[in-house]
Coordinates of all heavy atoms in Angstrom, one line a residue:
Q2 N -1.0 -5.1 10.7 CA -1.2 -6.3 11.5 C -2.1 -5.8 12.7 O -1.7 -4.8 13.5 CB 0.0 -6.9 12.0 CG -0.1 -8.0 12.8 CD 1.3 -8.8 13.0 OE1 2.3 -8.1 12.9 NE2 1.2 -10.1 13.4
A3 N -3.3 -6.4 12.8 CA -4.2 -6.1 14.0 C -3.8 -7.2 15.0 O -3.3 -8.3 14.7 CB -5.6 -6.2 13.5
P4 N -4.3 -6.9 16.3 CA -3.9 -7.8 17.4 C -4.6 -9.2 17.1 O -5.7 -9.3 16.7 CB -4.6 -7.1 18.6 CG -4.5 -5.7 18.3 CD -4.7 -5.6 16.7
G5 N -3.8 -10.2 17.3 CA -4.3 -11.5 17.0 C -4.3 -12.0 15.5 O -4.7 -13.2 15.3
N6 N -4.0 -11.1 14.7 CA -4.0 -11.4 13.2 C -2.7 -11.5 12.7 O -1.8 -10.9 13.2 CB -4.9 -10.4 12.5 CG -6.4 -10.4 12.8 OD1 -6.8 -11.4 13.5 ND2 -7.1 -9.5 12.3
Q7 N -2.7 -12.1 11.5 CA -1.3 -12.1 10.7 C -1.1 -10.8 10.0 O -2.1 -10.1 9.7 CB -1.3 -13.3 9.8 CG -1.3 -14.6 10.4 CD -1.1 -15.7 9.3 OE1 -1.6 -15.5 8.1 NE2 -0.6 -16.9 9.7
R8 N 0.1 -10.5 9.7 CA 0.4 -9.3 9.0 C -0.1 -9.6 7.5 O 0.1 -10.6 6.9 CB 1.9 -9.0 9.0 CG 2.2 -7.6 8.4 CD 3.7 -7.4 8.7 NE 4.0 -7.3 10.1 CZ 5.2 -7.0 10.6 NH1 6.1 -6.5 9.7 NH2 5.5 -6.9 11.9
E9 N -0.8 -8.5 7.0 CA -1.4 -8.6 5.6 C -1.1 -7.4 4.8 O -0.8 -6.3 5.3 CB -3.0 -8.8 5.7 CG -3.6 -7.4 6.3 CD -5.1 -7.6 6.3 OE1 -5.7 -8.6 5.9 OE2 -5.8 -6.6 6.8
L10 N -1.0 -7.7 3.5 CA -0.6 -6.6 2.5 C -1.9 -5.7 2.4 O -3.0 -6.2 2.2 CB -0.3 -7.2 1.2 CG -0.1 -6.2 0.0 CD1 1.2 -5.4 0.3 CD2 0.0 -6.9 -1.3
V11 N -1.7 -4.4 2.5 CA -2.8 -3.4 2.2 C -2.7 -3.0 0.8 O -3.7 -2.9 0.1 CB -2.6 -2.2 3.2 CG1 -3.7 -1.2 3.0 CG2 -2.8 -2.8 4.7
A12 N -1.5 -2.6 0.4 CA -1.3 -2.1 -0.9 C 0.2 -2.1 -1.3 O 1.0 -1.9 -0.4 CB -1.8 -0.6 -1.0
G13 N 0.5 -2.3 -2.6 CA 1.9 -2.4 -3.0 C 2.1 -1.9 -4.4 O 1.0 -1.9 -5.2
I14 N 3.3 -1.5 -4.7 CA 3.6 -1.1 -6.1 C 4.9 -2.0 -6.5 O 5.9 -2.0 -5.8 CB 4.0 0.4 -6.1 CG1 2.8 1.2 -5.8 CG2 4.5 0.7 -7.6 CD1 3.1 2.7 -5.9
G15 N 4.8 -2.6 -7.6 CA 5.9 -3.4 -8.1 C 6.9 -2.4 -8.9 O 6.6 -1.3 -9.1
S16 N 7.9 -3.0 -9.4 CA 8.9 -2.2 -10.2 C 8.4 -1.6 -11.4 O 8.8 -0.6 -11.9 CB 10.1 -3.1 -10.4 OG 9.8 -4.2 -11.2
G17 N 7.3 -2.3 -12.0 CA 6.7 -1.8 -13.2 C 5.8 -0.6 -13.0 O 5.3 0.0 -13.9
G18 N 5.5 -0.3 -11.7 CA 4.6 0.8 -11.3 C 3.2 0.4 -11.1 O 2.3 1.3 -10.8
S19 N 2.8 -0.8 -11.4 CA 1.3 -1.1 -11.2 C 1.1 -1.4 -9.7 O 2.0 -1.9 -8.9 CB 1.0 -2.5 -11.9 OG 1.8 -3.5 -11.5
A20 N 0.0 -1.0 -9.3 CA -0.5 -1.1 -7.9 C -1.4 -2.2 -7.6 O -2.2 -2.5 -8.5 CB -1.1 0.3 -7.4
T21 N -1.3 -2.8 -6.4 CA -2.3 -3.8 -6.0 C -2.7 -3.4 -4.7 O -2.1 -2.8 -3.9 CB -1.6 -5.2 -6.1 OG1 -2.5 -6.2 -5.8 CG2 -0.5 -5.2 -5.1
Y22 N -4.0 -3.8 -4.4 CA -4.7 -3.5 -3.2 C -5.5 -4.7 -2.6 O -5.9 -5.5 -3.4 CB -5.8 -2.4 -3.4 CG -5.2 -1.0 -3.8 CD1 -5.1 -0.7 -5.2 CD2 -4.7 -0.1 -3.0 CE1 -4.5 0.5 -5.6 CE2 -4.2 1.1 -3.3 CZ -4.1 1.4 -4.7 OH -3.6 2.5 -5.1
A23 N -5.4 -4.7 -1.2 CA -6.3 -5.8 -0.6 C -7.7 -5.5 -0.9 O -8.1 -4.3 -1.0 CB -6.0 -5.7 0.9
N24 N -8.6 -6.5 -1.1 CA -10.0 -6.3 -1.4 C -10.6 -5.4 -0.3 O -11.5 -4.6 -0.6 CB -10.7 -7.7 -1.4 CG -10.4 -8.4 -2.6 OD1 -10.0 -7.9 -3.7 ND2 -10.4 -9.8 -2.6
S25 N -10.2 -5.5 1.0 CA -10.8 -4.8 2.0 C -10.6 -3.3 2.0 O -11.4 -2.6 2.6 CB -10.3 -5.3 3.3 OG -8.9 -5.2 3.4
V26 N -9.6 -2.9 1.1 CA -9.4 -1.4 1.0 C -9.5 -0.9 -0.3 O -9.4 0.3 -0.5 CB -8.0 -1.0 1.5 CG1 -7.8 -1.5 3.1 CG2 -6.9 -1.6 0.6
K27 N -10.0 -1.7 -1.3 CA -10.1 -1.2 -2.7 C -11.2 -0.1 -2.7 O -12.2 -0.2 -2.1 CB -10.6 -2.3 -3.6 CG -9.4 -3.2 -4.0 CD -9.9 -4.3 -5.0 CE -8.7 -5.1 -5.5 NZ -9.1 -6.3 -6.3
G28 N -10.8 1.0 -3.4 CA -11.7 2.2 -3.5 C -11.6 3.0 -2.4 O -12.1 4.2 -2.3
R29 N -10.7 2.6 -1.3 CA -10.6 3.6 -0.2 C -9.1 3.9 0.1 O -8.8 4.8 0.9 CB -11.2 2.9 1.1 CG -12.6 2.5 1.1 CD -13.1 2.1 2.5 NE -12.5 0.9 2.9 CZ -11.7 0.8 4.1 NH1 -11.5 1.9 4.8 NH2 -11.2 -0.4 4.4
A30 N -8.2 3.2 -0.6 CA -6.9 3.4 -0.4 C -6.2 3.7 -1.7 O -6.6 3.2 -2.8 CB -6.2 2.1 0.2
T31 N -5.1 4.6 -1.7 CA -4.3 5.0 -2.8 C -2.8 5.0 -2.4 O -2.5 5.7 -1.5 CB -4.7 6.3 -3.4 OG1 -6.1 6.4 -3.7 CG2 -3.9 6.6 -4.6
I32 N -2.1 4.1 -3.1 CA -0.7 4.1 -2.9 C 0.1 4.9 -3.9 O -0.4 4.9 -5.1 CB -0.1 2.7 -2.7 CG1 1.3 2.6 -2.3 CG2 -0.4 2.0 -4.1 CD1 1.8 1.2 -1.9
S33 N 1.1 5.7 -3.5 CA 1.8 6.5 -4.5 C 3.2 6.7 -4.0 O 3.6 6.5 -2.9 CB 1.1 7.9 -4.6 OG 1.1 8.6 -3.4
R34 N 4.1 7.0 -5.0 CA 5.5 7.2 -4.8 C 5.9 8.7 -5.1 O 5.4 9.2 -6.1 CB 6.3 6.3 -5.7 CG 6.1 4.8 -5.6 CD 7.0 3.9 -6.2 NE 7.5 4.4 -7.5 CZ 8.1 3.6 -8.4 NH1 8.4 2.4 -8.1 NH2 8.5 4.2 -9.5
E35 N 6.6 9.2 -4.3 CA 7.2 10.5 -4.5 C 8.6 10.4 -4.8 O 9.5 10.4 -3.9 CB 6.9 11.5 -3.3 CG 7.2 12.9 -3.6 CD 6.7 13.8 -2.4 OE1 6.1 13.3 -1.5 OE2 7.0 15.0 -2.5
N36 N 9.0 10.2 -6.1 CA 10.3 9.6 -6.4 C 11.4 10.7 -6.0 O 12.5 10.2 -5.5 CB 10.4 9.4 -7.9 CG 9.6 8.3 -8.3 OD1 9.2 7.4 -7.6 ND2 9.1 8.4 -9.6
A37 N 11.1 12.0 -6.2 CA 12.2 12.9 -5.8 C 12.6 13.0 -4.4 O 13.7 13.3 -4.0 CB 11.7 14.4 -6.2
K38 N 11.7 12.4 -3.5 CA 11.9 12.4 -2.1 C 12.1 11.0 -1.5 O 12.2 10.8 -0.3 CB 10.8 13.1 -1.3 CG 10.7 14.6 -1.6 CD 9.6 15.3 -0.8 CE 9.5 16.7 -1.0 NZ 8.6 17.5 -0.1
N39 N 12.2 10.0 -2.5 CA 12.3 8.6 -2.0 C 11.3 8.3 -1.0 O 11.6 7.6 0.1 CB 13.7 8.3 -1.5 CG 14.8 8.4 -2.6 OD1 14.4 8.1 -3.7 ND2 16.0 8.8 -2.2
T40 N 10.0 8.6 -1.3 CA 9.0 8.5 -0.2 C 7.8 7.8 -0.9 O 7.4 8.0 -2.0 CB 8.5 9.9 0.3 OG1 9.7 10.5 0.9 CG2 7.5 9.7 1.3
L41 N 7.3 6.9 0.0 CA 6.0 6.1 -0.4 C 4.9 6.6 0.5 O 5.1 6.8 1.7 CB 6.3 4.6 -0.1 CG 5.1 3.7 -0.5 CD1 5.0 3.6 -2.0 CD2 5.3 2.3 0.1
H42 N 3.8 6.8 -0.2 CA 2.5 7.3 0.6 C 1.4 6.3 0.5 O 1.4 5.5 -0.5 CB 2.1 8.6 0.1 CG 3.1 9.8 0.1 ND1 3.5 10.3 1.2 CD2 3.8 10.4 -0.9 CE1 4.4 11.3 1.0 NE2 4.5 11.4 -0.3
L43 N 0.6 6.4 1.5 CA -0.7 5.6 1.5 C -1.7 6.5 2.0 O -1.7 7.0 3.1 CB -0.6 4.4 2.3 CG -1.9 3.6 2.4 CD1 -2.2 2.8 1.1 CD2 -1.8 2.4 3.5

């Protein structure tokens, strides 16, 4: 969320493991899960 803007999705992972990205960050962002540490990375 940038000042004056609504909160927007950057990247997400569903329960099936597929990732989705905002058009504005495609090719520049990678979302990943580190399951052993219960950690999500971007």
Side-chain angles (χ1 to χ4, degrees):
Q2 187 168 18
N6 291 355
Q7 290 187 335
R8 193 170 296 188
E9 62 176 0
L10 175 68
V11 178
I14 298 180
S16 57
S19 59
T21 184
Y22 296 94
N24 287 335
S25 58
V26 302
K27 279 182 180 177
R29 301 190 296 118
T31 303
I32 189 170
S33 61
R34 302 188 325 191
E35 193 173 355
N36 296 335
K38 295 184 178 181
N39 292 328
T40 300
L41 182 71
H42 299 292
L43 178 68

